[in-house]
Amino acid sequence: MTPGERLLRIYRRLLEAHGHQHWWPGETPFEVMVGAVLTQNTAWSNVERAIDNLRAAGALDPRHIAGMEPGRLGELLRPSGYFNVKAKRLQAFCRWYLEEGGLEALRQLPDGELRRRLLSVHGIGPETADDILLYAFDRPIFVIDAYTRRLFSRLGLISGDEGYEELRGWFERHLGPDVALYNDYHAQIVVQAKEVCRPRPRCEACCLRRVCEYRTTEARRRSVTGTPD
DNA sequence: ACCCAGGGTCATA
DNA sequence: TATGACCATGGG
């Protein structure tokens, strides 16, 4: 079986277990971009509160955010954590967004050029850039995150310590460009990681049990003593 | 009380 | 290039 076939088989199994995820949660592309910055190393439930604060303040708008007093913006972002850092990053992003001429101007750029420009913004790293490219601009960019590394290294498909670009290239090469697939695949990985593929795993409840080479110490002990799974 | 969460930047070696 | 410190709230 080729890596591409294994990847598709794994996706089908995830989809069957969790159902289509309909990502990214967000009313507009701009809201998706804001969420991508705010969710850096942060639980999504906390990000929602911050976005609700922005909406309630009528501030869910690039011009409004760019012109706001940083301390005031920080207060709205407080529930999402790192609020001083994120206030700066969000303002840097919004100023860039406006300088570029807004959504329609950005839509004209080819994938690679748009990615380079996103990465030039202070506070936008590879994963945040790729969230934005895939979920706000519908570009065929496969998002790599800690969950992706954990899941696929436990599945034995990767070692987990590869560089970001190397892994992204590997997934994109084996899956072929497919925005709808990348979109839901990454969402499935996140859901799977939250529910069962935890730092301390719960493989007994894992829909990938048959293809996952990872075993808990208890399962390992059973397997060497001849007790069936 | 501890671990974890949909990362990125900066200083240091 | 490769580590480590730092940022900070909220849920399990």
Side-chain angles (χ1 to χ4, degrees), chain A residues 65-162:
Chain A
I65 291 174
M68 207 174 330
E69 195 272 315
R72 163 68 177 151
L73 179 57
E75 283 313 304
L76 298 177
L77 301 183
R78 178 177 284 276
S80 73
Y82 305 129
F83 52 85
N84 289 316
V85 170
K86 285 176 179 174
K88 284 183 185 172
R89 291 182 184 177
L90 210 48
Q91 288 196 314
F93 174 75
C94 288
R95 286 174 187 137
W96 168 83
Y97 182 91
L98 295 170
E99 282 170 15
E100 292 285 356
L103 189 60
E104 290 314 313
L106 289 166
R107 277 199 219 273
Q108 308 304 316
L109 299 172
D111 302 347
E113 181 58 24
L114 182 52
R115 189 168 196 273
R116 273 189 292 280
R117 295 196 192 185
L118 281 165
L119 289 173
S120 76
V121 180
H122 176 89
I124 306 288
E127 187 178 335
T128 307
D130 291 347
D131 280 335
I132 292 173
L133 285 160
L134 179 58
Y135 292 106
F137 287 97
D138 298 311
R139 306 302 176 94
I141 303 290
F142 196 91
V143 177
I144 305 297
D145 64 353
Y147 289 155
T148 311
R149 292 176 188 276
R150 191 160 79 209
L151 181 57
F152 288 95
S153 61
R154 281 185 194 166
L155 288 166
L157 286 167
I158 63 175
S159 78
D161 57 2
E162 295 90 346

Side-chain angles (χ1 to χ4, degrees), chain A residues 12 33 45 51 104 117 122 131 141 151 156 183 188 194 201 212-214 222 224:
Chain A
R12 284 189 209 105
M33 300 184 218
S45 56
I51 293 181
E104 290 314 313
R117 295 196 192 185
H122 176 89
D131 280 335
I141 303 290
L151 181 57
N183 179 314
Q188 297 292 344
K194 281 184 184 169
C212 180
E213 295 174 3
Y214 184 89
R222 283 200 305 265
V224 297

Side-chain angles (χ1 to χ4, degrees), chain A residues 209 215 218-220 222-223 226-229:
Chain A
R209 199 169 22 179
R215 294 290 183 274
E218 176 59 15
R220 227 185 278 275
R222 283 200 305 265
S223 81
T227 311
D229 283 328

